Amino acid sequence: MTYRVITATLTTRTALHIGSGEGNDLTDALLRRDAAGRPFIPGTAIAGALRALLTRLAPRLGAQPCAALTGDTRPCHCAVCRLFGSVNPSDSAPETAPSTASRLLVFNAMPLDNLPHPFIRDGVGIDRTTGAAARAGAVKFDLEVLPAGTKFALRMELRDPSEADERLLAAGLAEWQEGRMWLGGRVARGLGALKLTDLEYRLFPLDEPEQLLAFLKDDRPWERAQPQPGWLPAQLQALKPLPCPDSPRGIARAWVTATGILQAQGPLLTNDVTVSGIYGFDHAPLLAQWGDWRNPVLTGAGLRGVLRSHAERIARTLATRIAEGKEEFLNRCPACSPVESRPDAPLASCDALLRKGKVPSDEIVDESRLCLACRLFGSTRRGSRLIVEDAPYHSADGKPPRLKMLDFLAIDRFTGGGAEGLKFDALALWKPAFTLRLHLDNPEPWELGWLALVLRDLADGWLRVGFGAAKGFGQVILQDWRVTLGYLTPDDAPEVAELNLTPVKSGIYSAVTLTGGTSEWQRLAQKWVDAFHQQVTNFSRPSELALSEDSYFGWVDALYPVWKGGAR
């Protein structure tokens, strides 16, 4: 008998929110804390994220799909359920369908020394018609977060595992080592990115009475267990990904990660209510940690809103060209306004239309009943596979960001002079740069084509982030960007395989990296863009979920000539 334990360090790459389900007068959502008031990551959250990851991976590693994927309500005996416990435990007929307990014990991850101070993160939705904050949509919110760089001690114990159990667990840990780990709330909007480091697999033999007695007397036996060098590489070497099953729903196939530098062309305004209030500014930059003026940050939620809003305009523009009239456009519009809760309003959200159609809020909605934007970017009815992380400050020369004090004054429309009581100021960042990172699991070609168009416009300087976009602030250009594509077998990414590039290992995936603007990227992106154009052309809404009004089609036809097929 042997005591087996895995220890590691979890380091947050972005801000982290593990909610308690409670709020107070300061914030809508408080962090989860222990009895001593220290924030921590519950073992249930870690085990849940790891189980979800391995549920998607296991069928590609020779295991049968879990009942969680197939929807079967009978007791499951797949590899994941043997490791984590039965997903559908049952006491009936235990001799024929025995339920099993978890062989993996995941403990709460407690913070290491010098825990940074938590702070409040604010957010607001974007009105798709005006491009401004959607105050009328009641989409203002805030939550308590831990800053990037916070470290936690991870510990897992294995009870009588098989070789298959250890290999499956190693596959998940290898993915986390590569930085493909997200936990907590608002993951798709920038929070909860972590990386696993200092991984050690340790053994403590318990065959002799003296060993067992020493184990029982020690309050921290994992510290006395002996590390086993090379455990993870040896387990990964035994893993051979298999072709994807015929029904790939929910099963891991591929992923894409895009990274680059967002370089501002002038002043950029962000705002942290707490910082601005304490230091006496009307607007002050959001900082990665409290008081750390060397490291401002752009929120993933803000970046995601800008990217989604622009992607929606691209899709609606294509649909407008295809549609023969307003009624057809309303039936074919591929992008709703996710903050519009009224079903009869322009670009009403998919959720509002589903509520109008009497679809219960807890009913699982098929993708065919959602617009293309909600399929890619997510909605209240279905989560998103696209993650837009917080963008930390990037300094090529190691210098801190430059700050500029700006004063503003509203103009009285009657007198032409300054409007009394409408003076405000802002502490702006002058030409800052930030590191952008996007990640998409199991991408479809049309989704990649859509993102490729957004990245192209971002690289051309068409998008603005932060406050004051209409006043000339926040213009950014995406520079030095590259796209990494990971796949389990070449059949999962045939377009990439055709490029004849030499892949490298990334966790259990093979991965290739393309630099934006190269000929390889252009050829690949063009295929994806064609797939996106075809998807928009073929898209139509279910008749009961068609829009009743829009703010795009037909508004300028009387002012500008419309060109169609060579005639005006």
Side-chain angles (χ1 to χ4, degrees):
M1 186 169 61
T2 304
Y3 170 70
R4 305 169 188 270
V5 62
I6 295 172
T7 60
T9 300
L10 294 178
T11 304
T12 59
R13 193 167 60 242
T14 66
L16 171 72
H17 174 76
I18 303 291
S20 64
E22 299 178 351
N24 60 13
D25 293 339
L26 297 177
T27 180
D28 298 322
L30 290 166
L31 286 169
R32 183 81 174 269
R33 286 177 165 82
D34 63 11
R38 296 178 302 170
F40 69 98
I41 304 177
T44 52
I46 300 171
L50 184 58
R51 180 169 191 154
L53 171 62
L54 295 181
T55 299
R56 297 191 299 270
L57 285 175
R60 304 302 307 276
L61 302 176
Q64 70 180 60
C66 180
L69 290 178
T70 63
D72 195 341
T73 58
R74 294 174 296 181
C76 182
H77 306 290
C78 70
V80 177
C81 287
R82 287 197 302 270
L83 182 59
F84 289 90
S86 300
V87 70
N88 296 319
S90 174
D91 293 331
S92 61
E95 65 281 355
T96 58
S99 298
T100 58
S102 175
R103 298 182 183 185
L104 181 68
L105 279 66
V106 184
F107 295 86
N108 294 339
M110 304 306 298
L112 297 176
D113 296 337
N114 301 319
L115 177 68
H117 292 292
F119 59 96
I120 306 299
R121 175 73 67 86
D122 285 282
V124 66
I126 296 177
D127 188 297
R128 265 45 180 188
T129 303
T130 65
R135 297 180 179 88
V139 288
K140 177 75 169 61
F141 58 90
D142 57 39
L143 66 163
E144 187 182 22
V145 299
L146 286 170
T150 305
K151 295 180 180 293
F152 297 87
L154 174 67
R155 177 164 57 97
M156 303 177 179
E157 294 181 1
L158 280 164
R159 303 292 173 86
D160 194 25
S162 65
E163 291 184 358
D165 293 333
E166 293 197 19
R167 287 196 296 267
L168 183 61
L169 178 59
L173 296 177
E175 287 299 289
W176 284 4
Q177 270 196 334
E178 294 295 328
R180 293 187 285 274
M181 178 183 185
W182 296 272
L183 286 177
R186 302 193 178 276
V187 162
R189 291 164 177 78
L191 303 185
L194 298 98
K195 186 171 184 178
L196 183 144
T197 57
D198 306 325
L199 175 68
E200 288 188 331
Y201 181 85
R202 294 169 170 261
L203 299 179
F204 193 145
L206 303 176
D207 297 324
E208 301 297 331
E210 304 83 32
Q211 296 171 333
L212 181 59
L213 185 61
F215 172 79
L216 295 175
K217 286 183 176 181
D218 199 331
D219 291 335
R220 303 173 67 88
W222 57 89
E223 294 180 350
R224 297 184 57 178
Q226 295 300 310
Q228 307 297 306
W231 172 80
L232 186 62
Q235 300 297 325
L236 296 180
Q237 191 173 7
L239 294 174
K240 303 298 181 184
L242 301 177
C244 190
D246 294 335
S247 300
R249 181 178 178 86
I251 296 176
R253 293 183 286 107
W255 49 261
V256 60
T257 298
T259 59
I261 304 301
L262 283 178
Q263 177 63 61
Q265 301 303 293
L268 188 147
L269 296 174
T270 60
N271 189 40
D272 184 338
V273 176
T274 304
V275 173
S276 59
I278 291 177
Y279 288 93
F281 297 104
D282 293 310
H283 292 282
L286 175 67
L287 307 178
Q289 295 190 26
W290 175 249
D292 186 4
W293 290 90
R294 297 180 63 91
N295 290 296
V297 65
L298 283 178
T299 67
L303 289 171
R304 184 186 183 86
V306 170
L307 296 177
R308 175 168 184 161
S309 180
H310 187 73
E312 291 167 357
R313 289 199 298 271
I314 292 174
R316 294 189 197 114
T317 300
L318 286 176
T320 302
R321 293 185 59 193
I322 297 168
E324 294 295 333
K326 182 175 180 179
E327 288 302 318
E328 184 180 357
F329 174 78
L330 293 175
N331 292 328
R332 301 173 65 97
C333 179
C336 71
S337 174
V339 300
E340 185 51 74
S341 59
R342 297 170 299 166
D344 56 345
L347 302 175
S349 68
C350 289
D351 180 64
L353 296 174
L354 288 167
R355 283 190 283 106
K356 181 181 179 181
K358 308 298 182 182
V359 179
S361 59
D362 58 349
E363 180 177 323
I364 299 177
V365 177
D366 187 79
E367 282 192 346
S368 62
R369 307 186 74 180
L370 298 174
C371 70
L372 298 184
C374 287
R375 297 182 196 181
L376 175 59
F377 291 93
S379 72
T380 56
R381 298 296 182 117
R382 198 177 187 91
S384 173
R385 291 174 283 108
L386 176 65
I387 295 174
V388 184
E389 294 187 6
D390 285 356
Y393 176 71
H394 171 80
S395 177
D397 53 10
K399 294 181 179 180
R402 288 182 291 173
L403 300 171
K404 284 185 177 290
M405 181 69 188
L406 302 176
D407 284 290
F408 300 90
L409 179 63
I411 300 298
D412 188 305
R413 266 51 180 179
F414 181 72
T415 65
E420 184 177 355
L422 294 182
K423 185 179 184 303
F424 60 98
D425 56 34
L427 193 60
L429 297 165
W430 179 252
K431 293 186 176 181
F434 299 89
T435 302
L436 175 70
R437 178 184 169 98
L438 314 178
H439 181 86
L440 178 61
D441 264 330
N442 281 358
E444 298 293 337
W446 67 268
E447 295 173 328
L448 294 174
W450 204 356
L451 290 177
L453 292 174
V454 174
L455 292 177
R456 177 204 63 185
D457 293 347
L458 190 59
D460 288 341
W462 286 21
L463 278 65
R464 296 177 182 268
V465 299
F467 288 89
K471 301 177 178 65
F473 297 101
Q475 183 185 15
V476 293
I477 293 179
L478 180 61
Q479 301 176 343
D480 302 328
W481 60 282
R482 57 190 58 202
V483 176
T484 301
L485 301 111
Y487 53 91
L488 289 170
T489 64
D491 292 338
D492 297 320
E495 301 93 344
V496 179
E498 291 175 2
L499 297 178
N500 295 321
L501 299 175
T502 302
V504 299
K505 292 301 292 183
S506 178
I508 65 170
Y509 287 82
S510 300
V512 297
T513 299
L514 300 175
T515 301
T518 60
S519 58
E520 293 85 0
W521 166 254
Q522 294 288 352
R523 293 202 306 271
L524 197 57
Q526 186 60 56
K527 293 182 179 179
W528 292 335
V529 170
D530 292 342
F532 168 65
H533 189 277
Q534 189 65 39
Q535 184 77 7
V536 174
T537 301
N538 296 336
F539 176 78
S540 63
R541 292 171 173 268
S543 57
E544 71 275 12
L545 299 177
L547 295 172
S548 60
E549 190 54 74
D550 81 287
S551 57
Y552 279 72
F553 199 95
W555 286 86
V556 296
D557 292 356
L559 302 176
Y560 301 95
V562 179
W563 179 81
K564 282 193 176 183
R568 290 182 182 271

